[in-house]
Amino acid sequence: MIVFYFTIVAISVSLLLPSAEAAVKKYQFDVVVKNVSRLCHAKPIVTVNGRYPGPTVYAREGDRVIINVTNHAHYNMSIHWHGVKQLRNGWADGPAYITQCPIQNGNSYSYDFNITGQRGTLWWHAHILWLRATVHGALVIMPPLGVPYPFPNQPHGEAELVLGEWWNDDVESIENQGNTLGLPPNMSDAHTINGKPGPLFPCSQDKHTYALEVEWGKTYLLRIINAALNDELFFAIAGHNMTVVEIDAVYCKPFTTDALLIAPGQTTNVIVRANRAPGRYFMATRPFMDAPVPVDNKTATAILQYKGVPTTILPLLPRLPTPNDTDFAGAYLDKLRSLNTPQFPANVPLTVDRRLFYTIGLGMNPCASCVNGTRLTASLNNITFVMPTIGLLQAHYFGIKGVFRLDFPDKPVTAFNYTGAPLTANLGTSKGTRLSKVAFNSTVELVLQDTNLLTVESHPFHLHGYNFFVVGRGSGTSIRPRIRPNLTWLIPRRGTRWVCPQEVGLPLDSELTIPVFGLCIVIWSSIQLGA
């Protein structure tokens, strides 16, 4: 379970407009179908500019970015700029039927937004159906010219590592089959690093193995993105430690680790020093899953190649955590801390105006065409979202009635033992396009409570355009504290009380994704919306 605070605050208009020195970065994205081969299977996939993963978007903090997307594919398309705050640019956020209608075949749409107060690694992806399985790429925001990174060992070079998935069959057909049968879609056939599964898979030697060349003694900034649809992933480099310096385009207190845990949609920047015996070392990734949910548990690899070393030398494999290593996952998350410097302070809200409690669960709804007469259905507070037929932003702006309701409940209608024995009765969910309206300039606490309806599951969450502070997490059902947590701990210190039975805490000034795996988590979040 998770609790987080977020504050809706006014922003000075002068801060939102590009300065006279700000550059305008323009890109052309052509969405096209291209035949691609992996794992001895060739198939047509949807790509941007014929590339998988797609092109990296580069900008600097303060730049204006204009990306014209032309859809040549037979699917409707929209692109989400995952993590960009979109201050006063909500129409450019990209989720289909939320902020825009999708781009139809033969049509174009220009996304026009400013990068305000952000720097680091984000990413972009299709935000409709399962098309983001192949339609995705990195979004790198550099600091302004002349501004160094706020950590020692300025890198000699940088590289983006996009962790993804590959299905031998068409991903849209797999999704449709799952919906028709009422079951989860089939798991992927392989994970990938920069679109390549690596030599541990068939037909993947050399051509389908990504290699990064480094020079001995130099340091490198690796921008790691988890573009997998559902899987949390471990990542490690044989023989090398990594220093984590940024999560989701937010600087954090640097810490050293021999492996990472990265949730779907999340980004992590690490510093790696090429100081081992010159050779070839595998970079490897595989899923973390401590719940009874099937995942592709095979290991994707890439190669860290020291300059001048023959490619005939066999690489060494890293020791990744075991797939169900909950202890490693918890210990890793405990290390994440706000940087909290004068330049990048941890401004935690001190009061709460509204408290929300959302349960996350799986239900079973009747389905005449499904294999068991029921469809597996996800829900929040036992409500399953129904996609509207026009954009929600359009309906709100023009006052179009009947598109959505503003009555999403602040807490479950009926309380129960959320993490007790799996329930087998009354598993139906209600359906609707129901929204929760948040007051401007308010601070909101949100508790995310995982449930054991049918089974527990790992859930990645992110809130478009917002930052939050994780201030606690634990296993079991949330209980509200008798005393408020000690905010000075966020500087940080241990030993305070949280709303969860397991007092572990996780203060992190992080935008985007937070993993929730059968947990109680408390998060305080500072959230900003443009006036």
Side-chain angles (χ1 to χ4, degrees):
M1 160 171 171
I2 298 179
V3 186
F4 51 156
Y5 286 179
F6 50 92
T7 308
I8 315 300
V9 300
I11 306 295
S12 170
V13 172
S14 63
L15 295 177
L16 301 179
L17 299 177
S19 67
E21 296 79 18
V24 178
K25 302 294 176 63
K26 295 184 178 182
Y27 288 85
Q28 173 63 40
F29 276 18
D30 288 305
V31 179
V32 296
V33 175
K34 180 181 179 181
N35 284 324
V36 173
S37 175
R38 296 290 188 275
L39 277 62
C40 314
H41 291 261
K43 68 171 185 177
I45 65 172
V46 183
T47 70
V48 169
N49 297 351
R51 298 170 58 180
Y52 166 65
T56 298
V57 173
Y58 294 97
R60 288 193 180 274
E61 181 179 352
D63 284 351
R64 179 185 177 189
V65 180
I66 302 174
I67 303 175
N68 186 67
V69 178
T70 302
N71 186 12
H72 302 281
H74 55 286
Y75 296 103
N76 288 343
M77 178 59 62
S78 73
I79 303 290
H80 170 48
W81 317 99
H82 193 118
V84 177
K85 289 189 175 180
Q86 300 294 5
L87 302 175
R88 301 182 69 195
N89 298 308
W91 54 87
D93 194 46
Y97 300 107
I98 307 300
T99 60
Q100 69 171 95
C101 290
I103 308 165
Q104 296 182 335
N105 173 268
N107 292 343
S108 298
Y109 182 80
S110 287
Y111 293 90
D112 188 342
F113 54 88
N114 300 318
I115 305 292
T116 304
Q118 291 183 274
R119 82 296 308 159
T121 304
L122 298 172
W123 67 301
W124 58 265
H125 60 81
H127 207 301
I128 184 170
L129 307 175
W130 260 25
L131 294 176
R132 72 179 174 93
T134 58
V135 180
H136 59 252
L139 197 168
V140 175
I141 306 171
M142 304 295 293
L145 283 172
V147 177
Y149 296 119
F151 43 81
N153 300 322
Q154 298 293 299
H156 297 94
E158 302 183 6
E160 299 97 43
L161 301 179
V162 181
L163 313 181
E165 293 174 281
W166 172 265
W167 281 261
N168 288 331
D169 295 324
D170 178 73
V171 292
E172 292 306 306
S173 298
I174 292 171
E175 183 191 19
N176 291 336
Q177 180 187 45
N179 289 334
T180 300
L181 297 177
L183 300 173
N186 292 338
M187 64 184 179
S188 59
D189 294 289
H191 285 89
T192 59
I193 300 176
N194 285 346
K196 301 177 179 182
L200 303 186
F201 288 88
C203 301
S204 300
Q205 191 71 34
D206 298 332
K207 182 180 178 181
H208 294 154
T209 299
Y210 173 76
L212 172 64
E213 185 178 81
V214 297
E215 294 187 47
W216 190 91
K218 292 187 176 182
T219 57
Y220 295 86
L221 178 66
L222 303 185
R223 301 176 179 271
I224 306 169
I225 300 164
N226 184 354
L229 268 68
N230 297 302
D231 292 345
E232 294 174 79
L233 297 172
F234 293 122
F235 177 86
I237 306 174
H240 294 72
N241 288 328
M242 298 170 285
T243 301
V244 179
V245 294
E246 177 200 305
I247 304 287
D248 295 325
V250 177
Y251 295 129
C252 64
K253 289 188 183 301
F255 67 92
T256 300
T257 181
D258 58 1
L260 307 176
L261 175 63
I262 182 168
Q266 194 173 48
T267 68
T268 300
N269 281 9
V270 300
I271 292 289
V272 175
R273 186 179 178 94
N275 59 358
R276 302 305 299 265
R280 304 176 78 225
Y281 298 85
F282 270 132
M283 301 182 283
T285 185
R286 73 177 176 203
F288 162 64
M289 179 54 70
D290 61 352
V293 178
V295 295
D296 164 32
N297 198 30
K298 295 180 285 293
T299 301
T301 53
I303 296 175
L304 189 75
Q305 170 82 44
Y306 277 71
K307 187 175 182 179
V309 173
T311 58
T312 54
I313 295 178
L314 294 177
L316 300 174
L317 271 169
R319 293 184 60 184
L320 289 164
T322 58
N324 63 346
D325 196 340
T326 305
D327 290 340
F328 175 90
Y332 179 82
L333 296 177
D334 284 346
K335 297 175 184 177
L336 301 180
R337 295 289 186 271
S338 302
L339 184 58
N340 196 29
T341 62
Q343 186 179 4
F344 302 102
N347 295 319
V348 185
L350 301 180
T351 60
V352 176
D353 301 304
R354 184 174 172 187
R355 292 185 168 89
L356 307 176
F357 186 97
Y358 289 173
T359 57
I360 309 145
L362 295 172
M364 300 289 289
N365 286 337
C367 171
S369 65
C370 296
V371 62
N372 295 318
T374 56
R375 173 177 283 120
L376 188 66
T377 308
S379 68
L380 292 177
N381 283 354
N382 207 43
I383 298 171
T384 298
F385 181 73
V386 175
M387 191 71 72
T389 56
I390 67 171
L392 292 179
L393 188 60
Q394 177 187 2
H396 166 73
Y397 186 82
F398 290 104
I400 301 173
K401 304 298 183 182
V403 178
F404 60 84
R405 292 161 47 182
L406 290 172
D407 61 348
F408 190 90
D410 286 3
K411 60 182 179 180
V413 176
T414 303
F416 59 95
N417 184 2
Y418 305 117
T419 55
L423 301 180
T424 58
N426 301 320
L427 291 175
T429 71
S430 61
K431 299 179 180 180
T433 310
R434 300 171 64 179
L435 280 59
S436 182
K437 190 174 183 179
V438 179
F440 186 71
N441 267 346
S442 63
T443 298
V444 180
E445 174 190 271
L446 173 58
V447 177
L448 293 177
Q449 172 71 62
D450 201 3
T451 64
N452 200 16
L453 295 169
L454 293 178
T455 182
V456 296
E457 188 182 2
S458 294
H459 307 271
F461 280 83
H462 88 96
L463 192 59
H464 286 209
Y466 290 84
N467 287 58
F468 54 79
F469 290 94
V470 181
V471 296
R473 62 182 179 88
S475 300
T477 296
S478 170
I479 56 173
R480 192 161 295 283
R482 295 180 181 178
I483 61 173
R484 300 305 301 169
N486 179 1
L487 292 180
T488 60
W489 184 79
L490 288 160
I491 296 179
R493 287 205 308 254
R494 289 184 179 272
T496 188
R497 293 185 176 273
W498 306 102
V499 302
C500 308
Q502 182 180 341
E503 298 177 347
V504 289
L506 177 63
L508 164 66
D509 185 5
S510 173
E511 216 261 336
L512 310 184
T513 311
I514 47 178
V516 189
F517 30 87
L519 294 178
C520 159
I521 298 183
V522 190
I523 302 172
W524 289 353
S525 170
S526 177
I527 296 192
Q528 300 176 332
L529 286 180

